[in-house]
Amino acid sequence: MNWITKFIKPRIKSLFKKRSSGSKETLWTTCECKNLVYKEDLFKNFSVCPTCGFHHKLSCEDRFKVFFDNKEYEIIKTPLPKDDPLRFIDTKKYTDRLKVAREKTNQSDAILIAEGKLKNIQVTVGAQNFDFIGGSVGAASGEAFVHGVQNAIDKKTPFVFFSCSGGQRMMESAISLMQMSRTVLAVNELKKKNLPYIIVMCNPTTGGVTGSFASLGDILIAEPKAIVAFAGRRVIESTVKEELPENFQTAEFVKEHGGIDLVVERKYLRSTVSTLISI
């Protein structure tokens, strides 16, 4: 074994390992437009690229910080059903996936509910974290959503929800699909009380989330260029046997065809939603 193999290569590998493990501490990030963006500038601009305007995904806590007055809010504790009711295993155990997602996001599941003030109006707000298994909805997320609606009803507040999801969670099968009907029934109870229900569709909002509670808002808002869909583009193309427009399923395309009401940049969401609620 020569000195390059014995000393130089291990040293190079260790340098790369240290750099990758400390990547969270880096000062720069890469946008969809392939440009490097200074993280502090991105944060000051509501995590929107100053070059191309791409709206980067936000965690639930970051979403609450940019939405509530003075970044002040209280997380509402929601029920947490038993993990892995079906003992699901694909390439790895579902329990292992949950463990990794919880460590990554510091959340018990994909949805968090919070309450606070928006332009001095008391509101209940829910959000989905795409980093938690694609923001997918299982029993725990269903419970969180229903609990958020109940909080809005009990305290007579509007309910605002930021959707960001690939759909229902396959690891929970029919239990996950049941959450579609449960969340729809919860929304109906909210509407019986004449309380505002506003949805903000973030990138992406797809599958069973679009097919249930995310499409039932009194006002449907989407962030620019967000993908809003039920089935995926490739599935539709293979079904209709036609080439679809380049902007198919973007927020702008869906608005143009009557699927949503407004496309609003992130920096204007506070003022837009507060105005709608005040009316």
Side-chain angles (χ1 to χ4, degrees):
M1 182 183 290
N2 60 38
W3 67 276
I4 293 178
T5 304
K6 188 174 182 180
F7 297 106
I8 302 301
K9 283 187 177 180
R11 178 61 177 165
I12 292 173
K13 287 181 180 180
S14 67
L15 286 172
F16 277 107
K17 186 175 182 181
K18 287 178 182 178
R19 181 175 293 181
S20 62
S21 64
S23 61
K24 291 183 179 179
E25 304 301 323
T26 58
L27 300 176
W28 300 84
T29 186
T30 306
C31 180
E32 291 287 309
C33 62
K34 309 302 180 184
N35 285 320
L36 281 175
V37 185
Y38 191 46
K39 281 187 176 181
E40 187 174 342
D41 290 341
L42 189 67
F43 179 77
K44 288 178 179 177
N45 200 39
F46 303 96
S47 293
V48 177
C49 177
T51 303
C52 68
F54 179 77
H55 285 52
H56 289 252
K57 292 180 178 65
L58 293 175
S59 67
C60 296
E61 294 261 16
D62 286 341
R63 177 70 66 177
F64 297 151
K65 287 174 184 175
V66 301
F67 191 70
F68 284 107
D69 292 350
N70 304 316
K71 301 180 182 179
E72 296 175 355
Y73 58 90
E74 181 181 349
I75 297 293
I76 298 170
K77 188 175 181 181
T78 58
L80 188 62
K82 183 180 179 180
D83 288 344
D84 196 14
L86 304 179
R87 298 180 182 178
F88 188 92
I89 301 175
D90 46 24
T91 56
K92 62 173 69 172
K93 292 182 179 179
Y94 177 36
T95 50
D96 292 339
R97 293 187 185 278
L98 286 173
K99 182 180 179 180
V100 170
R102 285 166 179 165
E103 290 174 352
K104 182 179 180 181
T105 63
N106 197 30
Q107 294 181 201
S108 58
D109 209 79
I111 291 180
L112 280 187
I113 306 294
E115 60 182 358
K117 290 187 177 182
L118 171 66
K119 300 281 186 173
N120 215 32
I121 303 170
Q122 191 71 26
V123 291
T124 302
V125 179
Q128 284 175 298
N129 191 338
F130 195 81
D131 282 342
F132 197 106
I133 314 181
S136 53
V137 176
S141 286
E143 287 291 345
F145 184 90
V146 172
H147 203 76
V149 170
Q150 189 60 56
N151 185 79
I153 292 173
D154 292 342
K155 299 184 178 179
K156 296 181 173 58
T157 70
F159 187 44
V160 181
F161 194 88
F162 292 87
S163 60
C164 184
S165 175
Q168 305 307 109
R169 190 169 299 169
M170 59 167 284
M171 299 84 165
E172 296 186 24
S173 189
I175 295 172
S176 172
L177 294 177
M178 285 168 56
Q179 308 313 312
M180 293 177 67
S181 57
R182 293 186 72 234
T183 52
V184 168
L185 289 171
V187 171
N188 286 340
E189 291 302 311
L190 188 70
K191 294 190 174 187
K192 285 179 185 178
K193 304 296 182 181
N194 292 322
L195 294 169
Y197 175 49
I198 295 177
I199 284 286
V200 181
M201 296 180 172
C202 308
N203 186 41
T205 296
T206 57
V209 170
T210 307
S212 56
F213 63 85
S215 296
L216 297 176
D218 299 311
I219 301 290
L220 299 179
I221 302 171
E223 292 187 332
K225 305 296 182 183
I227 296 299
V228 178
F230 181 72
R233 179 190 183 98
R234 286 182 298 177
V235 173
I236 296 172
E237 278 189 328
S238 63
T239 302
V240 300
K241 308 298 182 184
E242 290 184 17
E243 188 175 343
L244 300 171
E246 186 178 345
N247 67 337
F248 183 69
Q249 295 182 330
T250 63
E252 292 75 10
F253 181 92
V254 177
K255 177 181 179 294
E256 183 181 340
H257 290 79
I260 57 178
D261 301 299
L262 298 167
V263 177
V264 180
E265 291 182 47
R266 190 172 289 165
K267 61 183 177 181
Y268 299 125
L269 280 174
R270 275 175 44 81
S271 58
T272 301
V273 174
S274 62
T275 299
L276 291 169
I277 289 173
S278 63
I279 294 172

